[in-house]
Amino acid sequence: MRVRVPSFAKINWMLEVLGARPDGYHEVRAVLQTIDLTDVLDVERTEEEIEVLCAHPDVPEGEANLVFRAAHLLRRAKGVKAGARIRIEKRIPVAAGLGGGSSNAAVALLALARLWGVALEVGEQLELGGALGSDVPFFLLGGTALGIGRGDEVYPLPEVRASLLVLANPGFPISTAWAYRQLTKRGPVGNISVCSRVWHRAVREGEPPPLSEIVVGNAFEEIVRERYPELARGLDRMRELGAVAVGLSGSGPTIFGVFDSESAAIRAEAAFATLGWWRARTRTVSRRQYWERLSAALSTEASRP
Ligand code: ATP
């Protein structure tokens, strides 16, 4: 038995770091959004081994791969004897703030539960996801969502629909651990209530904020602007090219612009191509679209390669 499942990327509309926790993590408040940029997981049930294969040079194949850890965790939790061969086709840039590894792990849990024939309640999914990584539970919800705690406590928010998104990435990785260390050195950051006001209103009114107001702060922006002037220029350039909102995803280095004109979005994509950056024109994926696409893939047996 074999399935081929899309594994979606995310961006952050907001990312506040509220402080360090006794368990070594940071307390965050994030607004996350699934977008139409995917890896593909080709998952096959086998006799006993768990094998994870990925041709991307920066993605480990063994124990260090989050998908490998997801498979072992589920197998242990459910007492499964069968194995799996999982091939990851990488299209989401790695260590880019787009949540690729976390998304792969969430989708692997769903695909393996299906292939191994084990029931996985939503509560159990979220618990296993949280044990794998702070961003994994979000990919078991999808759409526009609030992440609190380590980011692993997720709640649905009114859906943002942005059909003209331009992503751009200068091609170097930024370590999330490095970014948190820089924040810790600087002490408490930001004015939390100002950053969140626009989203509080969204929850109260049941409507997403206007596109021009959806990006309301990323705790890492100042740090990465200072350390990587090229990225600072990229953020400013995206705005000059006509984006109505511009943001940094996670701790970067991927930046995104929200456009209200297709021609401006096309021009922006071309401008970043000229700079030699990786770039993509994409759109948001709502929770409903997310689950429709995942469910369709999970219920269709893939043909042999
Ligand atoms: P994070 O904020 O967790 O660093 P990110 O979205 O910035 O996430 P990822 O693409 O998830 O970055 O990769 C982070 C690191 O995780 C990489 O250095 C990579 O080697 C490792 N990794 C482990 N498993 C995977 C996977 N399945 N896909 C991508 N990277 C993975």
Side-chain angles (χ1 to χ4, degrees), residues 58-60 64-67 88 90 93-102 104 176:
D58 301 330
V59 177
N65 197 301
L66 266 185
V67 166
I88 306 171
K90 264 286 152 199
V94 175
L98 295 171
S102 306
N104 292 174
T176 306

Side-chain angles (χ1 to χ4, degrees), residues 282-303:
T282 183
R283 54 177 63 231
T284 51
V285 170
S286 69
R287 213 163 0 267
R288 184 164 157 199
Q289 293 166 333
Y290 186 74
W291 285 104
E292 277 173 1
R293 286 174 62 179
L294 274 182
S295 307
L298 286 167
S299 58
T300 309
E301 194 162 334
S303 51

Side-chain angles (χ1 to χ4, degrees), residues 10 39 41 52 54 56-69 88 90 92-105 133-135 139 173-177 180 249-254:
K10 61 88 179 160
D39 289 339
L41 260 58
V52 175
C54 182
H56 193 292
D58 301 330
V59 177
E61 288 193 329
E63 250 172 78
N65 197 301
L66 266 185
V67 166
F68 185 92
R69 300 222 289 270
I88 306 171
K90 264 286 152 199
I92 305 172
V94 175
L98 295 171
S102 306
S103 171
N104 292 174
S134 302
D135 277 348
F139 290 103
I174 292 183
S175 147
T176 306
Y180 272 107
S249 195
S251 55
T254 306

Side-chain angles (χ1 to χ4, degrees), residues 143-224:
T144 311
L146 173 72
I148 58 171
R150 291 187 285 127
D152 58 332
E153 249 184 76
V154 287
Y155 300 91
L157 283 175
E159 299 272 7
V160 174
R161 280 192 182 76
S163 53
L164 294 166
L165 277 177
V166 175
L167 308 186
N169 177 314
F172 51 80
I174 292 183
S175 147
T176 306
W178 169 84
Y180 272 107
R181 277 198 303 277
Q182 304 311 305
L183 267 194
T184 311
K185 275 190 209 160
R186 290 182 183 209
V189 279
N191 182 335
I192 296 156
S193 58
V194 170
C195 276
S196 297
R197 192 173 301 142
V198 62
W199 282 98
H200 286 164
R201 198 176 63 221
V203 171
R204 214 171 43 239
E205 293 171 6
E207 290 283 337
L211 288 182
S212 58
E213 290 177 31
I214 46 177
V215 179
V216 278
N218 179 317
F220 297 107
E221 183 170 332
E222 201 180 313
I223 285 164
V224 303

